[in-house]
Amino acid sequence: MAKVKVAVNGYGTIGKRVADAVALQDDMEVIGISKTKPNFEAQVAALKGYDIYVPETSKEAFAKAGLKVAGTIEEMIEKADIVVDCTPGKIGVTNKALYEKAGVKAIWQGGESKDVCPISFNAEANYDQAYGADFVRVVSCNTTGLCRAIFPLDQKYGVEKVRVTIVRRAGDPGDIKTGPIDALVLDPVKLPSHHGPDVKTIMPHINITSAAIKAPTTFMHLHVLNIKLKKDCTADDVKKLFQSRPRIKLIDGGISSTAEIIEFGRDLGRSRNDMWESCVFKDSVSIDDGELYFFQAIHQESDVVPENVDAIRSMMKLEMDNLKSIEKTNKAMGIGL
Ligand SMILES: NC(=O)C1=CN([C@@H]2O[C@H](COP(=O)(O)OP(=O)(O)OC[C@H]3O[C@@H](n4cnc5c(N)ncnc54)[C@H](O)[C@@H]3O)[C@@H](O)[C@H]2O)C=CC1
Ligand SMILES: O=C(OP(=O)(O)O)[C@H](O)COP(=O)(O)O
């Protein structure tokens, strides 16, 4: 069977990882990536053998930098079966008319509002809804982490309510412009943060509210979760449940910080030290007064990447069974090892 042709529009933190993850699959291929500037990321994309497409106005700059251009972004979109839009939040939506005109399927990221398209996506919770769909939004990194924990708990024990506080990393490691460098910033002041409502775009029946604070760190986000379940269970039951999930990693071995998790990723030899799984601190899982508590860390640069691969498989009808798609993606990327 011919491989599905995937174009990655926007080759930054998420886009470059999505391109590499797609390239590892045997049922899809990267037919091009887009870059606006001939910077180091464009140089690496060329070294990796990706065809680079650019805005018409950037062609001269790429020629001056000695970087070969395969065509314009519009030409890339024409050649694709599906575009993964990884442009910055609120820019992606401006590309919608382009995708509609080309008659190409598209996936947006969590920086876009839920109104960009009717379907928001998480591979474990609502893969079926995206089956054959033309437009899908993969929810944000924190929302993805929340869905991965809440969905199995709800399936097994029923979730009465979720209360979560998110300590957000302020910027990504390569981001030299974002602050704060010495403050904790309420993000936003007025509750809830977007994460609780975003979980409801996937699981509308979940009673959830969220608060978020930006902290001066780049490694990972950290969630403090409190969940009231409908059925009784022990902390060990929850640990076993999490252990059985394909994209949750129980963290122990003396690790008590996001910095050590990233070091763990480095020691595991993972590409870009990516921790694609939600990292639940094993010893934090506890039941108190009938309510569940735990900490989980989310590697914002990578956790949504396998979700994009599964979204492609669902939208392109390559696989009906979400668990089979997740297993295939995980195996190709080395997730769970
Ligand atoms: N960085 C993160 O932690 C996460 C980001 N997201 C979401 O993923 C999306 C992308 O975010 P990042 O990768 O962090 O952004 P980024 O800023 O690292 O990368 C965006 C790339 O798109 C390029 N670009 C800008 N305008 C463009 C256009 N009109 N056409 C083509 N390319 C264009 C930029 O030059 C840059 O290379 C956003 O919606 C964001 O909210 C989701 C999960 C985590
Ligand atoms: O999707 C993310 O966070 P979110 O789940 O808090 O919206 C990413 O970390 C991007 O966040 P940013 O908007 O601070 O770059």
Side-chain angles (χ1 to χ4, degrees):
M1 202 168 77
K3 291 184 179 186
V4 163
K5 295 181 172 62
V6 181
V8 179
N9 193 16
Y11 190 78
T13 303
I14 301 300
K16 60 188 170 189
R17 287 174 168 82
V18 168
D20 290 354
V22 168
L24 287 170
Q25 313 299 317
D26 64 11
D27 51 356
M28 53 188 84
E29 63 180 329
V30 180
I31 58 103
I33 62 102
S34 75
K35 277 299 299 171
T36 53
K37 291 186 209 95
N39 66 359
F40 71 95
E41 285 169 318
Q43 288 167 12
V44 176
L47 282 174
K48 286 185 180 226
Y50 295 133
D51 282 349
I52 303 176
Y53 292 82
V54 305
E56 186 65 47
T57 49
S58 301
K59 277 186 171 171
E60 205 182 313
F62 277 76
K64 269 193 195 151
L67 279 168
K68 195 174 153 233
V69 163
T72 63
I73 295 179
E74 287 78 3
E75 285 166 345
M76 173 179 81
I77 290 163
E78 286 291 339
K79 288 182 193 164
D81 298 317
I82 186 161
V83 181
V84 186
D85 190 302
C86 300
T87 60
K90 317 293 177 263
I91 300 281
V93 66
T94 65
N95 292 325
K96 191 169 183 177
L98 208 60
Y99 305 144
E100 281 171 340
K101 191 171 155 226
V104 70
K105 292 182 187 248
I107 297 175
W108 285 275
Q109 307 304 312
E112 301 306 322
S113 106
K114 66 174 174 38
D115 303 321
V116 69
C117 63
I119 302 170
S120 291
F121 180 85
N122 173 261
E124 276 203 73
N126 73 337
Y127 183 95
D128 294 0
Q129 253 182 289
Y131 197 72
D134 287 336
F135 296 136
V136 161
R137 176 183 73 133
V138 170
V139 287
S140 77
C141 49
N142 282 311
T143 312
T144 294
L146 291 171
C147 289
R148 285 180 184 167
I150 294 166
F151 176 73
L153 286 168
D154 191 43
Q155 265 193 324
K156 185 132 195 198
Y157 302 113
V159 165
E160 196 166 310
K161 66 171 184 179
V162 181
R163 300 293 177 255
V164 56
T165 303
I166 298 171
V167 182
R168 294 182 81 249
R169 67 86 181 98
D172 294 330
D175 178 1
I176 57 169
K177 292 185 191 146
T178 312
I181 57 168
D182 190 8
L184 293 172
V185 181
L186 311 185
D187 186 27
V189 176
K190 195 168 180 292
L191 300 181
S193 65
H194 77 81
H195 310 93
D198 255 356
V199 167
K200 282 170 163 291
T201 64
I202 289 175
M203 292 175 279
H205 62 286
I206 297 290
N207 172 349
I208 175 168
T209 195
S210 57
I213 301 154
K214 251 198 245 185
T217 176
T218 63
F219 290 128
M220 300 179 94
H221 303 294
L222 184 76
H223 297 179
V224 189
L225 276 134
N226 166 219
I227 302 182
K228 192 161 170 34
L229 299 168
K230 290 182 179 158
K231 288 187 205 149
D232 283 347
C233 65
T234 65
D236 277 344
D237 293 335
V238 174
K239 285 180 204 175
K240 273 194 205 120
L241 179 67
F242 284 166
Q243 184 91 57
S244 74
R245 304 319 296 183
R247 290 192 183 141
I248 293 181
K249 198 172 187 67
L250 286 183
I251 298 293
D252 52 12
I255 292 179
S256 61
S257 68
T258 53
E260 291 160 296
I261 295 178
I262 293 299
E263 188 64 11
F264 184 30
R266 289 193 186 111
D267 287 351
L268 287 170
R270 290 189 168 199
S271 157
R272 301 184 176 100
N273 61 248
D274 285 351
M275 294 301 277
W276 305 283
E277 308 92 334
S278 297
C279 296
V280 173
F281 288 83
K282 190 175 180 184
D283 289 344
S284 74
V285 178
S286 47
I287 304 276
D288 186 46
D289 199 17
E291 294 187 19
L292 170 66
Y293 293 83
F294 63 95
F295 290 116
Q296 67 172 359
I298 302 297
H299 187 223
Q300 75 283 348
E301 296 175 283
S302 68
D303 78 324
V304 297
V305 173
E307 303 292 327
N308 275 274
V309 174
D310 294 323
I312 294 170
R313 232 177 244 122
S314 180
M315 293 165 74
M316 297 305 303
K317 298 187 172 177
L318 293 172
E319 173 58 65
M320 278 182 91
D321 181 337
N322 71 325
L323 292 177
K324 281 193 185 153
S325 176
I326 289 171
E327 193 187 342
K328 189 172 171 69
T329 307
N330 283 6
K331 196 167 168 214
M333 291 178 68
I335 296 176
L337 298 179

